[in-house]
Amino acid sequence: IYDRNGLILASTINSKSLYAEANLINNADILSNKLEKILNINKSIIERKLSSKKNFVYLKRNITPLEHQKIIDLGEIHLKFVNEKRRIYPYENSISHLVGFVNIDQTGQTGIERFYENSLLSSNDIYLSIDANLQQTVRSNLIETINHYRAESGLAIVLDISNGEVLSSVSYPDFNPNNKNISEKNLINRVIQSNYEMGSTFKPLTAANGFDYNKINSEMIFDIKKSVKGVRDHQKYKENGLYSVEKIVVESSNIGMAQIALKIGKDSQKEFLKKLGFFEKVDIELLEAEKPLANPNNWGLHETTRIGFGHSFSITPLHLVKAY
């Protein structure tokens, strides 16, 4: 798997795995002591395997070249090797959610590894739109921001708006695909799997909806002193509360946007959000992508006003960026 500039994100190398003809080994206790130091595996685990009386028992898969040589130096003829393949990920955590990982049998578990499993197993190369260097920079800045605000998680997306290509997509916390002991929590790709009420980022979309359906125009003035359906603003209105559409968006007025949403109406609102793809999964080469929760409840006047400023409607972050 390569990035857009030909940098290797995942590759398969030849590897060796160690097994024992346990039924032919007489010195299990002594041998276990030696193998513990070489393989960094607890002696009791090794000794239990060597005492199994089986003709074939794996002691360790994908051993290192140094481990391989040290085992040869032991001179134990009933310790043998099998040639295998090993998947390596040079960029480790930085592109983990996109590239994904394979299990010990080279079966794709997540990400591109899962989506293009058959093609990759057939030795076909895959090139992504991702820029690995940009990805590392974005991730570094994201982690810095998460730490600054003491947040539990975060995400960042960079999209080429001329063609829709994803240049960078970071979800944190993440994981190292070279390490198979991965926390379920860290596997979540929040860019495509997590649904959120997007809040004020919906306001430009509602304005676009109004203009697109000829429900509003740039000359209209709205009186935001008048609360609508219990909607409140985060700050007091200015200039007698008479706002243009532009001012409603720029100063992020909930009341103003609720009034615009009512002019648009439920049917046009729903139709526009459908055009944006907010009721279906994003078409992307990641099988983990989730369908938006959207508005699972009643869609009356109350919901129409609140959807106008990004409440009562949930989508994934990639849906939002794609819409922009």
Side-chain angles (χ1 to χ4, degrees):
I1 303 175
Y2 294 92
D3 85 334
R4 68 187 302 114
N5 300 312
L7 297 175
I8 295 176
L9 307 181
S11 185
T12 300
I13 61 172
N14 292 322
S15 177
K16 291 186 182 294
S17 290
L18 172 66
Y19 75 92
E21 295 173 327
N23 61 325
L24 300 177
I25 291 176
N26 298 316
N27 56 342
D29 180 54
I30 297 172
L31 188 57
S32 296
N33 279 326
K34 295 178 180 178
L35 289 174
E36 180 182 42
K37 296 173 183 177
I38 297 173
L39 302 177
N40 194 28
I41 297 175
N42 190 280
K43 175 194 171 185
S44 61
I45 296 174
I46 298 173
E47 190 169 5
R48 185 173 68 249
K49 290 184 176 181
L50 293 180
S51 303
S52 68
K53 303 304 177 185
K54 292 181 180 179
N55 188 48
F56 185 105
V57 56
Y58 273 120
L59 296 181
K60 188 175 182 180
R61 305 282 291 268
N62 294 317
I63 61 174
T64 67
L66 182 59
E67 289 171 337
H68 179 227
Q69 187 57 53
K70 286 183 176 180
I71 292 163
I72 291 174
D73 293 341
L74 290 178
E76 173 54 65
I77 62 172
H78 299 302
L79 291 179
K80 298 191 174 182
F81 307 96
V82 59
N83 293 324
E84 292 196 295
K85 301 291 185 182
R86 182 185 176 193
R87 201 74 166 147
I88 60 168
Y89 303 92
Y91 286 87
E92 299 182 341
N93 294 56
S94 64
I95 314 184
S96 55
H97 286 108
L98 298 177
V99 173
F101 67 101
V102 297
N103 62 14
I104 195 72
D105 297 312
Q106 305 296 296
T107 303
Q109 302 298 295
T110 63
I112 293 297
E113 292 279 31
R114 182 182 173 203
F115 189 90
Y116 284 113
E117 179 185 332
N118 292 335
S119 186
L120 289 164
L121 287 173
S122 299
S123 296
N124 294 315
D125 294 337
I126 300 294
Y127 286 82
L128 307 185
S129 62
I130 296 298
D131 184 318
N133 292 321
L134 176 63
Q135 179 84 356
Q136 289 181 303
T137 301
V138 170
R139 179 177 182 269
S140 176
N141 280 273
L142 175 63
I143 293 173
E144 187 178 315
T145 305
I146 289 171
N147 291 336
H148 177 77
Y149 289 104
R150 298 178 182 176
E152 291 183 3
S153 61
L155 59 98
I157 312 167
V158 180
L159 198 75
D160 184 341
I161 61 170
S162 69
N163 56 22
E165 288 185 347
V166 178
L167 303 179
S168 173
S169 175
V170 182
S171 176
Y172 190 87
D174 47 34
F175 59 93
N176 184 346
N178 294 303
N179 178 5
K180 296 301 181 280
N181 185 21
I182 302 169
S183 164
E184 286 291 330
K185 178 182 177 183
N186 290 20
L187 279 176
I188 299 170
N189 184 350
R190 288 164 174 79
V191 173
I192 59 167
Q193 288 182 276
S194 297
N195 276 273
Y196 303 94
E197 290 184 347
M198 292 296 179
S200 293
T201 58
F202 251 52
K203 289 172 181 171
L205 301 181
T206 299
N209 187 176
F211 284 120
D212 198 47
Y213 283 69
N214 296 314
K215 302 290 185 179
I216 59 172
N217 60 64
S218 57
E219 307 302 318
M220 283 184 173
I221 299 295
F222 294 83
D223 186 354
I224 68 164
K225 296 192 301 293
K226 299 177 181 178
S227 180
V228 179
K229 298 292 179 183
V231 175
R232 297 180 181 179
D233 267 332
H234 61 95
Q235 62 183 18
K236 289 187 177 180
Y237 51 82
K238 303 173 184 177
E239 299 174 8
N240 298 318
L242 301 177
Y243 277 32
S244 65
V245 176
E246 180 182 356
K247 197 171 182 66
I248 287 171
V249 173
V250 170
E251 298 203 3
S252 197
S253 168
N254 292 345
I255 294 174
M257 202 52 68
Q259 291 179 23
I260 292 174
L262 287 177
K263 280 187 172 293
I264 293 169
K266 177 184 73 174
D267 293 339
S268 295
Q269 184 184 58
K270 187 180 292 187
E271 185 178 272
F272 187 73
L273 296 179
K274 185 176 181 180
K275 285 182 180 180
L276 292 179
F278 285 1
F279 294 94
E280 301 296 334
K281 293 181 181 181
V282 172
D283 185 15
I284 190 170
E285 298 95 330
L286 298 170
L287 296 176
E288 299 82 46
E290 290 288 345
K291 186 176 180 179
L293 292 174
N295 173 36
N297 304 309
N298 176 55
W299 202 316
L301 291 177
H302 177 91
E303 288 73 27
T304 299
T305 56
R306 281 151 182 79
I307 290 171
F309 54 86
H311 290 199
S312 302
F313 199 96
S314 296
I315 56 174
T316 73
L318 187 57
H319 279 91
L320 181 72
V321 176
K322 183 171 177 280
Y324 268 77

